[in-house]
Amino acid sequence: MTQTYRIGGGRLIDRTRPITFSFNGKPYTGYAGDTLASALLANGVRIVGRSFKYARPRGVMTAGVDEPNAILQLGSTPGATTPNVRATEQPLYDGLVARTTNGWPSVNFDLMEWFGRAFGRFMPPGFYYKTFMWPGPLWPLYEKIVRKGAGIGEAPTAPDADAYDRLHQFCDLLVIGGGPAGILAARTAADAGARVLLVDDRAELGGNLLLQPAEINETTAALWLQTQVSELTQRDNVEILSDTTATGWHDHNFVVAYERRRRRLHHNRARVVLLAAGAQERPLVYANNDLPGCMTASAVSTYLRDFGVRPGHKLIVATCNDSAYQAAIDWRESGGEAVVVDARAESPRATELAERGIELHRNAIVIEAAGRQRVRGATLRAQDDERTLKLSCDVLASSGGWTPTVHLSAHCGRKPLWHAPSGAFVPGAAPANAAWAGSINGHADLDSVLRDALANTTELIESLGFEATTAAINVSCAKQGGDALYRVPHPSNHPPPQFVDYQLDVTATGIELANREGFESVEHIKRYTALGFGTDQGKLSNVNGIAIAAEARGITMAEVGTTMFRPNYAPVPFGAVAGREVGRLFDPVRYTAMQPWHESNGALFEDVGQWKRPWYYPRQGETMQETLNRECLAVRNGVGILDASTLGKIDIQGPDAREFLNRVYTNAWKKLPRGQCRYGLMCSEDGMVMDDGVTACLADEHFVMTTTTGGAARVLEWLELWHQTEWPELQVYLNSVTDHWATATLSGPHSRRLLAKLTDMDLDSDAFPFMSWRQGDVAGIPARVFRISFTGELSFEVNVNANYGLKLWEALIEAGTEFDITPYGTETMHILRAEKGFIIVGQDTDGSITPEDLGMGWALARKKPFSFLGKRGMQREDCQRADRKQLVGLFTDDPTTVLPEGSQIVFERSGETPESMVGHVTSSYHSAALGRSIALALIQGGLQRRGVKVWVSVGPEQWQRAEITDTVFYDPQGERQHV
């Protein structure tokens, strides 16, 4: 199809590069530099979608992020399409496939439109609350109908084939908005030597300066703009991100921005931020104002100037301000016929129109658009004598004024304030280290915009210690003043619909109805009518809606107030939020250096955190329990080997390392000598156990802390939180070294003899006692060897550089052949530690357990000069109750019964449902060493109830009798680990 509405000009398009694309299955052509919207308009496509509720035809209305109608589906592959793409922001590319998201059987002929015309009056705001409540049995049918009609796009079901990036940046000054205010701010800060980041959501900088003729410092605005941008581009201390939307402004000047062209999410930290987001043109609310061909005035100028598209032959501009005149002037200069309808009695730019042969109607308003599938004309009404006049047109542009883009300022918690001179809301007072500048402050004239930007930028950068040079600004431009107009009065008591929110079919009468039904608060109106709920977040509709609500209640707009805005300012693809952390990178699988050996020797694995850990090593024909019995007995009677590389390891260094440990652990650490290790409990602020582990003293100012496998990252984050926010004066440095070390643990009576074959270290108990560490070579590999035991047996943890982990493992396996060395996995480790009463944080604790509840009061150094974390929490009255759940052991009367973990416990069975539960089983296993089942449990007042019998629920109406015992079932004196 030829581009019927393409005219000469178009700064952004390259006519030497035609592009083929399709829309709703039909092929079209456009040019490089086009947006999808401009290409559709050039080809005469008027209907780009149907409205949400009434299925009314809708066309392109704006030229940017505020577009409410042209929301399309991109892509042809089923399940791999992209929903809700704004045609006004989507660059055209070869092979682009787009379609509308609604309309059946087609968007041009939609049967739902007839339904909306017939029954629309029966679907006011809130009708769904009133209609679908009865009869109840019909709700499934209602739901099916509602779901069929709801939604404006199809979510893809196939994996996203696009790649997304994330970039973290820092700057002195972040400027949001690339209009004249933002450009001058960036130039001023750059000249002062500040590091500047300029973010703008358009492909080309300049904002509305591109649409208005003006002179700045005795040169054309276009040349001034070109000079400034060229200068900024060449500066090493300036980065410009065009086609990038700042979507969220968070605490501490953390601003998130999405760069569409490169699918990149920018995480920006700035010392100071200048918000120069400008203002968005506000359409008028008149009857049938949603017909295709109804546009904003600035959008008309944008398509004419930037893309060489005149989307019709005759234009009517309905306005109450001077800026909209430019659309008529641009239209006339392109060869089209234009008419201006100005609601004001006096028009400062009337002479300009007369010189160009543009018809002007003053003190008049457009009350209604004519047409069904598109605009065919308009009805004018004189405000003095109420005469009406009908004119033909195929494009009806309107401008009711400009609405400051306050969204990002609201993200900072600054509620917008009513600004009577501009007839709109402006941001509240800026937070520290931030400022607003330009049109966002209600300034209309270019001169005021630039002076405001210069003053605010100078103040910001001087607060950072930079010296700003104030340049002279001389501006000559057409007047940009005007009155504010929102809803155009209609003489009929029942006029055709006057739309406020185009995307969600919210009308002026709908807002009035909400007020009559008691929804007077602006927040209630928004939720009852869905005003501003669409993907455009009310950019065009919010102020008009507030004005109509104020009129309905007979109060001022300042009294009505406005809603707050939350991130995101504009939609961001989920893929951009996820970045490259998808699939395997979303939840990476981590392997130890010994993984090849585990796999080749038949290990079965379980996931612990992100690690694949050997669960157990079954032999041919063995059941799981038989394997566990064999592995447990091998450790108790001979020697077993465990891959413990996954334990969290945090390297702690600095002059205040001892003091830091003394504060985060419950026990004392000031006097731990070099070469020794100590077990420690770590509690959260409320006094509840959050992790445990052994920390070794490598030197006076150097320690290595071990944590649970699953808790490593959380513990490091916890330590950094306290160091950075509460104790920044402490000189201590924390680094995760979990991946740096591979660990092979030898446990059992023969472990010393085995290790002696591979090292010349003195392993005698006197020279190398329990809870100490030594450094030396093992199998020719430099190693740290820790004498720590999680099994209750003589044990040695051999740590080597992870690159040598597999070599070490194979050497230990070979040397252990004469001792019948047996590899064992995590399940056997759990049994062995349970036999000794050793806890697993997160299994035997649940976030509500203190050290005393575990019977570990010995681990509390109550006389430390600095109160350790959690001490105050433990002193609460609730934590001192005698009936708190406490950790105990359980022996079942039937030694063959293994209690299900999680089983509930009662003291006495009442026979009533529900029973009065007093605890639950935390760990339960069959112990091969004891020849019976064992269990650990949390029971109310359990530490004082040893010898008491309880009932344990093991199934529906099934109970097992058990006796409360001590938690240590095997070697209660701990003699075996000290030999």
Side-chain angles (χ1 to χ4, degrees):
M1 179 182 289
T2 58
Q3 300 180 50
T4 308
Y5 294 89
R6 185 77 73 176
I7 59 173
R11 295 179 306 102
L12 299 183
I13 61 172
D14 183 353
R15 296 176 186 265
T16 66
R17 296 170 56 198
I19 287 178
T20 301
F21 69 102
S22 73
F23 176 68
N24 283 341
K26 294 182 180 180
Y28 296 94
T29 58
Y31 293 115
D34 263 325
T35 63
L36 179 54
S38 66
L40 289 173
L41 290 173
N43 284 277
V45 176
R46 292 293 172 261
I47 301 177
V48 296
R50 292 280 173 167
S51 68
F52 179 78
K53 188 190 294 185
Y54 304 128
R56 291 171 65 95
R58 293 288 164 82
V60 175
M61 188 168 192
T62 72
V65 69
D66 49 353
E67 173 59 36
N69 297 331
I71 312 296
L72 305 177
Q73 193 93 14
L74 257 58
S76 59
T77 304
T81 62
T82 303
N84 300 340
V85 175
R86 279 188 174 78
T88 51
E89 294 186 299
Q90 175 60 48
L92 201 64
Y93 59 83
D94 230 355
L96 182 149
V97 176
R99 62 178 174 85
T100 52
T101 59
N102 47 23
W104 185 85
S106 72
V107 71
N108 292 318
F109 180 76
D110 186 2
L111 290 178
M112 286 293 292
E113 178 186 0
W114 299 100
F115 181 86
R117 289 180 181 277
F119 299 103
R121 66 181 183 276
F122 302 114
M123 295 189 290
F127 80 95
Y128 27 82
Y129 300 124
K130 306 167 185 175
T131 306
F132 298 141
M133 299 299 292
W134 59 272
L138 288 182
W139 169 246
L141 175 62
Y142 295 153
E143 182 182 26
K144 185 176 295 186
I145 295 173
V146 171
R147 288 190 180 277
K148 182 70 175 177
I152 55 174
E154 296 178 10
T157 56
D160 192 344
D162 292 330
Y164 301 87
D165 286 313
R166 185 179 296 126
L167 188 65
H168 297 263
Q169 298 186 102
F170 172 80
C171 60
D172 294 314
L173 172 65
L174 172 61
V175 180
I176 303 173
I183 290 173
L184 182 59
R187 177 66 188 273
T188 302
D191 287 345
R195 183 177 175 182
V196 179
L197 179 63
L198 174 62
V199 176
D200 189 67
D201 63 356
R202 299 186 181 183
E204 184 182 29
L205 299 181
N208 286 330
L209 189 62
L210 299 169
L211 305 179
Q212 300 289 348
E215 287 189 358
I216 303 175
N217 292 343
E218 299 182 352
T219 186
T220 64
L223 184 57
W224 179 86
L225 179 62
Q226 180 181 352
T227 302
Q228 299 298 318
V229 173
S230 176
E231 179 67 24
L232 289 172
T233 304
Q234 296 175 29
R235 293 292 186 89
D236 292 335
N237 60 331
V238 176
E239 182 177 1
I240 298 175
L241 294 176
S242 58
D243 199 32
T244 302
T245 303
T247 64
W249 186 350
H250 307 277
D251 292 342
H252 309 295
N253 281 346
F254 174 53
V255 178
V256 179
Y258 176 58
E259 185 179 6
R260 287 180 293 277
R261 183 175 61 255
R262 291 189 283 188
R263 299 188 183 91
R264 178 179 291 174
L265 199 66
H266 295 262
H267 288 183
N268 306 305
R269 289 278 185 186
R271 297 176 68 189
V272 293
V273 176
L274 182 79
L275 181 60
Q280 293 165 329
E281 194 168 29
R282 189 173 61 247
L284 292 172
V285 179
Y286 53 88
N288 288 331
N289 59 335
D290 66 325
L291 287 172
C294 292
M295 305 177 71
T296 58
S298 59
V300 170
S301 288
T302 297
Y303 288 115
L304 286 167
R305 291 188 175 199
D306 289 353
F307 305 105
V309 174
R310 190 179 67 220
H313 301 288
K314 183 175 181 180
L315 169 72
I316 293 179
V317 177
T319 186
C320 57
N321 60 76
D322 298 317
S323 65
Y325 280 44
Q326 194 61 44
I329 294 171
D330 293 337
W331 189 281
R332 185 67 181 127
E333 290 179 349
S334 73
E337 184 180 351
V339 176
V340 173
V341 181
D342 196 332
R344 299 171 297 175
E346 298 297 329
S347 172
R349 301 184 67 181
T351 303
E352 291 183 68
L353 300 187
E355 291 174 350
R356 291 171 170 81
I358 299 174
E359 185 180 343
L360 171 63
H361 295 266
R362 286 180 288 196
N363 201 23
I365 51 178
V366 170
I367 61 172
E368 186 175 332
R372 203 178 82 182
Q373 297 295 92
R374 59 171 297 177
V375 170
R376 298 293 183 183
T379 301
L380 283 59
R381 184 169 182 261
Q383 297 197 82
D384 50 4
D385 56 14
E386 299 184 354
R387 290 177 297 111
T388 60
L389 175 65
K390 293 186 178 181
L391 297 178
S392 65
C393 68
D394 51 5
V395 175
L396 177 51
S398 69
S399 175
W402 293 81
T403 300
T405 311
V406 301
H407 301 68
L408 288 171
S409 67
H411 296 179
C412 302
R414 267 48 186 182
K415 193 172 181 66
L417 304 175
W418 177 249
H419 185 247
S422 62
F425 289 90
V426 299
N433 302 325
W436 338 119
S439 299
I440 193 173
N441 285 330
H443 297 294
D445 292 328
L446 180 60
D447 182 66
S448 300
V449 166
L450 293 178
R451 294 186 186 282
D452 189 47
L454 190 60
N456 281 287
T457 305
T458 299
E459 183 177 348
L460 275 181
I461 61 176
E462 287 184 346
S463 71
L464 301 181
F466 296 99
E467 185 175 348
T469 302
T470 303
I473 298 293
N474 297 306
V475 177
S476 174
C477 65
K479 182 176 173 59
Q480 299 296 312
D483 298 330
L485 182 60
Y486 311 100
R487 182 189 187 184
V488 176
H490 196 284
S492 171
N493 291 329
H494 301 286
Q498 300 168 304
F499 285 93
V500 182
D501 188 310
Y502 301 87
Q503 193 170 104
L504 295 181
D505 278 346
V506 180
T507 63
T509 56
I511 295 174
E512 291 173 334
L513 175 63
N515 274 273
R516 290 198 301 273
E517 294 194 356
F519 295 93
E520 296 182 345
S521 163
V522 65
E523 294 286 357
H524 293 163
I525 293 171
K526 174 179 179 179
R527 281 153 182 80
Y528 190 63
T529 65
L531 176 70
F533 265 20
T535 60
D536 65 331
Q537 288 292 287
K539 293 178 176 63
L540 296 183
S541 61
N542 267 20
V543 172
N544 283 335
I546 292 167
I548 294 167
E551 182 182 7
R553 294 181 57 193
I555 60 177
T556 66
M557 293 181 68
E559 291 174 306
V560 175
T562 183
T563 59
M564 290 289 280
F565 301 95
R566 298 183 295 269
N568 286 320
Y569 167 70
V572 176
F574 284 129
V577 176
R580 294 187 180 269
E581 289 80 18
V582 296
R584 294 179 61 187
L585 295 179
F586 172 70
D587 190 14
V589 178
R590 304 174 72 181
Y591 302 101
T592 72
M594 295 78 144
Q595 181 70 16
W597 191 94
H598 301 322
E599 291 179 357
S600 62
N601 284 270
L604 298 181
F605 297 90
E606 71 167 338
D607 296 325
V608 183
Q610 294 175 325
W611 292 95
K612 289 289 185 183
R613 295 199 68 179
W615 189 17
Y616 61 100
Y617 298 81
R619 292 178 179 174
Q620 186 69 30
E622 278 186 340
T623 65
M624 178 178 178
Q625 189 59 56
E626 290 171 342
T627 301
L628 299 179
N629 293 343
R630 173 176 54 80
E631 292 178 358
C632 286
L633 292 175
V635 174
R636 293 295 184 210
N637 301 320
V639 62
I641 184 170
L642 171 75
D643 183 355
S645 305
T646 64
L647 289 178
K649 307 173 191 71
I650 301 174
D651 188 88
I652 303 175
Q653 298 188 46
D656 296 317
R658 290 180 183 273
E659 175 63 23
F660 185 78
L661 290 171
N662 214 42
R663 296 182 183 186
V664 298
Y665 275 134
T666 62
N667 47 346
W669 290 83
K670 284 292 188 69
K671 298 180 180 180
L672 181 67
R674 177 179 180 177
Q676 297 296 305
C677 310
R678 181 166 293 165
Y679 174 80
L681 278 176
M682 192 177 297
C683 293
S684 51
E685 295 166 285
D686 57 5
M688 307 306 162
V689 175
M690 63 172 288
D691 205 86
D692 70 338
V694 173
T695 295
C697 179
L698 305 185
D700 287 341
E701 298 180 0
H702 190 185
F703 296 79
V704 170
M705 173 189 292
T706 62
T707 72
T708 56
T709 295
R714 176 171 50 87
V715 169
L716 179 59
E717 182 181 15
W718 174 255
L719 299 180
E720 287 285 11
L721 173 68
W722 281 90
H723 178 222
Q724 294 182 32
T725 63
E726 301 297 328
W727 309 322
E729 73 282 0
L730 296 185
Q731 296 185 53
V732 61
Y733 309 94
L734 312 169
N735 287 286
S736 172
V737 293
T738 302
D739 291 327
H740 298 191
W741 297 89
T743 305
T745 300
L746 298 173
S747 291
H750 297 324
S751 56
R752 180 182 284 119
R753 294 171 57 198
L754 190 161
L755 185 59
K757 295 176 62 176
L758 300 174
T759 183
D760 58 2
M761 286 188 287
D762 188 350
L763 303 179
D764 184 75
S765 185
D766 293 332
F768 194 170
F770 181 61
M771 294 301 285
S772 62
W773 74 275
R774 299 292 182 265
Q775 189 160 323
D777 287 352
V778 177
I781 305 169
R784 291 176 183 166
V785 181
F786 298 82
R787 195 170 161 199
I788 304 168
S789 179
F790 197 48
T791 63
E793 298 292 337
L794 173 66
S795 298
F796 296 90
E797 290 187 3
V798 185
N799 290 259
V800 299
N801 185 296
N803 295 333
Y804 297 98
L806 181 58
K807 180 180 178 181
L808 170 71
W809 183 272
E810 291 174 338
L812 291 172
I813 292 291
E814 182 179 356
T817 303
E818 68 172 284
F819 305 107
D820 194 22
I821 189 171
T822 301
Y824 66 96
T826 55
E827 192 66 18
T828 295
M829 177 190 68
H830 290 170
I831 298 172
L832 296 171
R833 64 89 197 174
E835 291 173 344
K836 289 292 297 176
F838 297 151
I839 66 167
I840 293 182
V841 175
Q843 179 168 332
D844 299 303
T845 67
D846 60 4
S848 66
I849 304 300
T850 68
E852 290 183 314
D853 296 333
L854 299 172
M856 299 174 69
W858 52 265
L860 302 179
R862 303 179 189 275
K863 296 182 180 180
K864 284 197 293 187
F866 186 95
S867 179
F868 58 83
L869 287 179
K871 181 178 179 180
R872 290 180 61 190
M874 297 176 201
Q875 294 171 345
R876 290 176 298 149
E877 181 180 352
D878 179 71
C879 293
Q880 304 302 315
R881 290 186 295 107
D883 63 344
R884 285 182 59 82
K885 288 186 177 181
Q886 298 166 340
L887 190 69
V888 296
L890 288 179
F891 271 155
T892 54
D893 285 0
D894 178 3
T896 65
T897 299
V898 177
L899 299 173
E901 291 180 351
S903 295
Q904 295 293 314
I905 300 171
V906 300
F907 289 138
E908 295 294 339
R909 293 171 58 190
S910 66
E912 298 179 358
T913 302
E915 296 279 2
S916 180
M917 302 299 176
V918 297
H920 67 280
V921 176
T922 62
S923 299
S924 182
Y925 311 97
H926 172 77
S927 168
L930 299 175
R932 62 158 300 130
S933 64
I934 59 172
L936 297 175
L938 289 169
I939 297 178
Q940 290 179 6
L943 294 176
Q944 306 302 319
R945 294 179 181 271
R946 291 183 178 89
V948 173
K949 292 290 186 79
V950 296
W951 291 96
V952 183
S953 173
V954 294
E957 302 303 324
Q958 298 180 20
W959 298 84
Q960 182 66 225
R961 195 70 164 164
E963 180 182 340
I964 298 177
T965 70
D966 190 78
T967 54
V968 183
F969 303 103
Y970 184 84
D971 185 25
Q973 302 304 317
E975 297 172 352
R976 298 175 68 89
Q977 63 190 14
H978 289 88
V979 296

